[in-house]
């Protein structure tokens, strides 16, 4: 408990390590709940917790084109709720709350409705209103062919792009490049109509690979990571990040898969891949 009460007197890295654990977050949130609203102003560890949340959720905000402060505020609201204190995975609850908040704000702006209404797909208008001079075709308007990795739904494609881009950013990709490469691979995969065709076509796409500054091995790893691996003799096919997200995985689920995160880090532009 001393690390909760005396955060300014202990090593900052030790404090962040404590807060990054499920039990550490639960302990701090329980103390803050007992102290009431003033606890967030008077308890030194509360400031450290908010700073950690800003660093942790900045990629999520960037993936949805929101300022990092929006994600921090969404995390703050989630951490004040009972579910974050009582859940088996408190950080998972907060992560999901931040993702939903960023989605709602983005859809709210796009559809000219409130974020509260945008949280529920059933309350969203069937078509986005056309603004003067606006002719952009959003990815969620693309109808994927049957068997494609990018299935259509109200949230499907935009959630897919944002979650996968945020995952790559956490792994070390620059945000703008991560967003572009996820959009590009998802659209090419939808055009191909099957995973095998998409893998073959994208792995031969040297123009895009060179534009991104990736080696052959890094590009092949990235394509396989996103789309999935072909089945080989004696083994089954491996689900790609696209399929995992479309099947319900959240950003937190992807980040808890250390093998997947290690693989993503090997694809970062400028790294040693050859």
């Amino acid at each position: 408990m001393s690390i909760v009460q005396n955060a300014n007197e202990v090593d900052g890295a030790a404090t962040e390590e404590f807060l990054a654990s499920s039990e550490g977050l639960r302990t701090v949130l329980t103390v803050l709940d007992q102290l009431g609203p003033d606890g967030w102003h008077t308890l030194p560890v509360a400031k450290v917790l908010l700073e950690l949340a800003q660093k942790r959720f900045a990629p999520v905000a960037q993936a949805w084109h929101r300022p990092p402060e929006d994600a921090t505020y969404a995390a703050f609201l989630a951490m004040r709720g009972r579910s974050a204190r009582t859940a088996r995975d408190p950080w998972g609850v907060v992560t999901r709350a931040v993702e939903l908040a960023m989605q709602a704000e983005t859809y709210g702006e796009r559809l000219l409705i409130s974020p509260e209404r945008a949280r529920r797909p059933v309350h969203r208008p069937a078509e986005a209103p056309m603004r003067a001079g606006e002719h952009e075709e959003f990815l969620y308007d693309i109808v994927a062919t049957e068997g494609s990795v990018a299935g259509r739904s109200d949230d499907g494609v935009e959630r897919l792009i944002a979650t996968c881009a945020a995952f790559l950013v956490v792994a070390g990709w620059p945000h703008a490049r991560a967003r572009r490469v996820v959009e590009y691979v998802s659209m090419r995969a939808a055009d191909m109509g099957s995973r095998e065709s998409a893998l073959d076509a994208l792995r031969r796409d040297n123009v895009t690979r060179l534009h991104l500054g990736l080696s052959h091995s890094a590009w092949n790893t990235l394509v396989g990571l996103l789309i999935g691996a072909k089945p080989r003799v004696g083994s089954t096919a491996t689900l790609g990040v696209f399929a995992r997200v479309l099947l319900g995985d959240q950003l937190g689920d992807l980040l808890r898969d250390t093998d997947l995160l290690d693989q993503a880090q090997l694809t970062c532009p400028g790294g040693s891949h050859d």
Side-chain angles (χ1 to χ4, degrees):
M1 185 66 71
S2 60
I3 198 169
V4 175
Q5 298 172 333
N6 305 302
N8 289 339
E9 300 175 11
V10 298
D11 180 72
T15 303
E16 287 199 5
E17 183 178 357
F18 173 73
L19 290 172
S21 68
S22 294
E23 288 309 313
L25 178 60
R26 193 193 324 278
T27 298
V28 171
L29 294 182
T30 300
V31 172
L32 287 167
D33 180 62
Q34 293 170 349
L35 293 174
D38 289 343
W40 288 91
H41 302 288
T42 59
L43 197 65
V45 75
K47 179 181 178 182
V48 181
L49 177 57
L50 291 176
E51 291 172 347
L52 176 61
Q54 182 162 1
K55 288 191 292 185
R56 191 178 187 118
F57 297 119
V60 182
Q62 289 178 331
W64 287 96
H65 303 293
R66 312 302 306 175
E69 294 78 12
D70 285 4
T72 306
Y73 181 64
F76 168 69
L77 294 179
M79 289 188 289
R80 293 181 63 183
R82 180 176 181 275
S83 59
R85 299 192 304 273
T86 58
R88 178 177 299 180
D89 180 11
W91 276 115
V93 170
V94 178
T95 299
R96 182 56 179 154
V98 172
E99 287 181 305
L100 288 174
M102 299 301 95
Q103 289 179 31
E105 290 183 16
T106 300
Y107 283 120
E109 284 189 359
R110 181 176 300 165
L111 301 174
L112 301 182
I113 60 177
S114 69
E116 291 72 24
R117 185 181 175 196
R119 281 180 178 273
R120 297 182 179 275
V122 70
H123 292 159
R124 298 176 194 157
E127 297 182 359
M130 181 63 68
R131 298 169 176 84
E134 181 180 26
H135 300 286
E136 180 178 2
E137 178 181 9
F138 292 100
L139 282 175
Y140 65 77
D141 288 323
I142 298 172
V143 180
T145 57
E146 184 177 358
S148 165
V149 298
R152 175 184 170 89
S153 71
D154 287 336
D155 291 318
V157 176
E158 180 61 28
R159 175 179 171 271
L160 173 77
I161 299 300
T163 302
C164 295
F167 175 69
L168 290 182
V169 171
V170 173
W173 275 73
H175 171 254
R177 282 198 199 180
R179 179 90 188 187
R180 282 200 303 270
V181 76
V182 170
E183 288 177 348
Y184 178 75
V185 173
S186 66
M187 287 189 289
R188 286 294 305 274
D191 290 340
M192 291 296 103
S194 72
R195 178 171 60 182
E196 289 73 19
S197 298
L199 283 170
D200 290 339
L202 283 164
R203 283 174 171 166
R204 293 195 300 267
D205 190 347
N206 288 321
V207 174
T208 300
R209 177 183 66 80
L210 292 172
H211 179 72
L212 291 169
L214 298 180
S215 66
H216 282 286
S217 60
W219 175 241
N220 289 341
T221 299
L222 177 65
V223 171
L225 178 79
L226 294 175
I227 297 179
K230 291 181 180 179
R232 296 181 179 178
V233 177
S235 66
T236 58
T238 302
L239 282 179
V241 175
F242 286 165
R244 289 182 56 167
V245 173
L246 289 173
L247 289 171
D249 274 13
Q250 310 298 331
L251 177 60
D253 299 317
L254 300 177
L255 294 177
R256 280 191 291 272
D257 189 332
T258 54
D259 291 338
L260 191 70
L261 188 58
D262 289 344
Q263 190 178 11
Q265 289 171 341
L266 293 175
T267 72
C268 294
S272 295
H273 314 292
D274 293 321

